[in-house]
Amino acid sequence: MKQGKTNAMRILDKEKIAYTMLTYATDDGKIDGIAVAQKIGREENVVYKTLISQGTSKSYYVFVIPVEAELDLKKAAKAVGEKKIEMIPVKEITKVSGYIRGGCSPVGMKKLFPTVIDQRAQSLETIIVSGGNIGVQIEMAVEGLLQATKGSLADVSAS
């Protein structure tokens, strides 16, 4: 299947951040991170999911964590200096990010929200995140993702 460039890819191109596009079939309806890792033939520990939360201050935050991990809301709140954060309702993902559920990339959201990448990514050569469409992933250096999202690293996964 031919896949055009997504907004995330256009931003990476503009910032001159190298990436590789990976595509996978979605006709079986399996688009969860673990299924995606299997479909693209990669280890689960290099495939990360993008989560959006909102703090007590009403600010939005983006967390990028391994697909097999859960976000630790206490650690996440601490990482962004909030008393408490909660995941946004699924129905608000598109309104907040401009992306749809299952195709939400940390790169190229409607606004540049504070972004935290789980510190486990530090040990990786490359990281794989959504490319901004269901069926599309992008692989790049962790440094490239930090640069594109103006992100930081912190321990935000539940162990």
Side-chain angles (χ1 to χ4, degrees), residues 46-102:
V46 299
V47 181
Y48 278 54
K49 58 188 171 188
T50 304
L51 305 172
I52 306 170
S53 67
Q54 191 171 30
T56 8
S57 67
K58 298 294 178 211
S59 294
Y60 292 105
Y61 301 96
V62 176
F63 294 94
V64 183
I65 66 169
V67 293
E68 82 278 6
E70 293 282 324
L71 183 66
D72 183 315
L73 295 173
K74 282 193 168 86
K75 288 180 185 175
K78 188 177 173 210
V80 295
E82 285 276 2
K83 271 193 187 80
K84 188 177 162 203
I85 63 163
E86 290 180 353
M87 298 303 297
I88 66 168
V90 169
K91 64 182 190 323
E92 288 183 24
I93 291 173
T94 305
K95 185 180 83 178
V96 172
S97 71
Y99 289 121
I100 57 170
R101 179 180 180 271

Side-chain angles (χ1 to χ4, degrees), residues 115-126:
T115 301
V116 178
I117 300 165
D118 188 76
Q119 70 183 13
R120 292 190 228 176
Q122 272 179 303
S123 64
L124 302 176
E125 248 175 69
T126 61

